[in-house]
């Protein structure tokens, strides 16, 4: 397995290339993305880069978990061809003047709580696409709005990369796998299960208003006040009403102690 710190160090891979962009702290969810990537390409490249552009001034950039040696070992075990682990200086050698705008999609739901977040995501993803030049890139459904805005960027800017979304991987008790789960205390870990329980309660309903009522009731029962709990169109992330039918995303974000968690589920209305 090759380790590249710069574009010049990336190997020339012959055949179809898949990219799995990550911020490191790899868990089983990331590994499942890598395994799926092998089914879509001849070679898999994993990027490990904690992107400062997508963190707000009061967010956890400095304490975001960094487990680079373990990440390399996981990639080696999963048969990755190359790990691209650039420095901040390599990715952003001079102050940025031109960035990617996520448009209206980047200002609603998660974007309303984290202004500028999706602009930072799209900017780094487009740079990674230009540097690695993959044929296909894989992203987890757990970050459903991120997946939606990346798909829209690729479509709107004619980026020649196929985007594949992968199902959310969960712990045995239902908690969505996340690098931030390590921040939770034992009691907070138990309380965090209310998020997946709320989604399951909503999933059992079929009318949008009933979906939201059922999910809210679970969170209220645990005394959790979410940043948002919304039922949205998966392509635009605009909220749907009782006239809507088809696939929708029930998405939630909440703080459990000092840790902010997100989760979502796809359902049919």
């Amino acid at each position: 397995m090759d380790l590249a710190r710069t574009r010049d160090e990336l190997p020339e891979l012959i055949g179809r290339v898949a990219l799995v962009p990550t911020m490191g702290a790899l868990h089983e969810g990331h590994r499942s993305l890598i395994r799926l990537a092998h089914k879509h390409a001849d070679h898999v490249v994993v990027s490990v880069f904690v992107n400062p552009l997508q963190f707000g001034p009061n967010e956890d950039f400095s304490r975001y978990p960094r487990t680079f040696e373990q990440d390399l070992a996981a990639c080696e075990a999963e048969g990755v061809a190359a790990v691209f682990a650039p420095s901040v200086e390599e990715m952003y050698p001079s102050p940025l003047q031109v960035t990617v705008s996520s448009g209206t999609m980047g200002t609603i739901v998660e974007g309303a709580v984290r202004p500028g977040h999706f602009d930072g995501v799209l900017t780094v993803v487009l740079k990674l696409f230009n540097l690695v030049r993959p044929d296909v890139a894989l992203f987890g459904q757990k970050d459903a709005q991120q997946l939606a805005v990346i798909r829209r960027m690729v479509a709107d800017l004619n980026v020649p990369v196929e985007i594949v979304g992968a199902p959310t991987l969960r712990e045995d008790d239902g908690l969505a796998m996340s690098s931030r789960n390590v921040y939770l205390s034992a009691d907070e870990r138990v309380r965090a299960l209310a998020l997946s329980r709320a989604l399951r309660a909503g999933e059992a309903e079929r009318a949008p208003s009933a979906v939201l009522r059922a999910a809210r009731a679970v969170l209220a029962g645990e005394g959790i006040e979410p940043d948002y709990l919304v039922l949205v169109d998966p392509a635009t992330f605009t909220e749907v009403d009782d006239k809507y039918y088809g696939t929708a995303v029930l998405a939630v974000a909440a703080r459990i102690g000092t840790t902010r968690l997100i989760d979502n589920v796809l359902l049919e209305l």
Side-chain angles (χ1 to χ4, degrees), residues 19-61:
L19 172 65
V20 179
T22 82
M23 293 204 299
L26 303 186
H27 50 67
E28 188 59 28
H30 295 108
R31 295 181 74 148
S32 72
L33 277 175
I34 296 170
R35 291 172 200 141
L36 182 59
H38 280 296
K39 297 179 180 180
H40 287 267
D42 303 301
H43 309 283
V44 177
V45 176
V46 173
S47 63
V48 176
F49 179 65
V50 184
N51 176 36
L53 288 193
Q54 67 192 71
F55 288 80
N58 298 314
E59 295 182 349
D60 60 348
F61 174 73

Side-chain angles (χ1 to χ4, degrees), residues 11-224:
E12 292 294 330
L13 299 171
I14 306 302
R16 188 169 165 86
V17 175
L19 172 65
V20 179
T22 82
M23 293 204 299
L26 303 186
H27 50 67
E28 188 59 28
H30 295 108
R31 295 181 74 148
S32 72
L33 277 175
I34 296 170
R35 291 172 200 141
L36 182 59
H38 280 296
K39 297 179 180 180
H40 287 267
D42 303 301
H43 309 283
V44 177
V45 176
V46 173
S47 63
V48 176
F49 179 65
V50 184
N51 176 36
L53 288 193
Q54 67 192 71
F55 288 80
N58 298 314
E59 295 182 349
D60 60 348
F61 174 73
S62 61
R63 74 181 189 113
Y64 191 85
R66 291 163 170 84
T67 58
F68 189 62
E69 292 305 319
Q70 295 96 309
D71 295 344
L72 288 181
C75 289
E76 183 86 54
E78 296 295 342
V80 168
V83 171
F84 182 43
S87 65
V88 172
E89 293 73 25
E90 177 70 20
M91 288 298 289
Y92 306 118
S94 58
L96 284 175
Q97 296 190 43
V98 178
T99 59
V100 181
S101 170
S102 53
T104 302
M105 283 183 68
T107 65
I108 57 178
V109 190
E110 184 74 3
V113 181
R114 304 178 69 188
H117 168 70
F118 289 114
D119 293 355
V121 169
L122 293 187
T123 298
V124 76
V125 167
L126 187 57
K127 286 175 73 72
L128 287 170
F129 287 174
N130 288 334
L131 291 164
V132 179
R133 300 172 189 170
D135 299 285
V136 58
L138 292 92
F139 298 86
Q141 176 64 37
K142 188 180 83 70
D143 296 291
Q145 191 171 0
Q146 171 180 279
L147 179 58
V149 296
I150 289 170
R151 281 180 166 151
R152 189 57 189 254
M153 175 188 73
V154 165
D156 286 354
L157 301 184
N158 300 106
V159 181
V161 178
E162 177 188 353
I163 304 301
V164 173
T168 300
L169 221 62
R170 299 183 178 277
E171 305 287 355
D172 291 340
D173 56 11
L175 184 67
M177 291 186 179
S178 169
S179 299
R180 290 183 169 92
N181 289 348
V182 298
Y183 298 152
L184 298 169
S185 69
D187 289 342
E188 290 167 349
R189 176 72 174 66
V190 173
R191 192 161 181 255
L193 297 178
L195 273 63
S196 56
R197 286 205 310 273
L199 296 180
R200 288 199 303 273
E203 196 176 14
E205 305 293 338
R206 284 298 174 265
S209 56
V211 168
L212 290 169
R213 275 197 306 273
R216 287 187 190 116
V218 173
L219 296 178
E222 293 291 337
I224 294 173

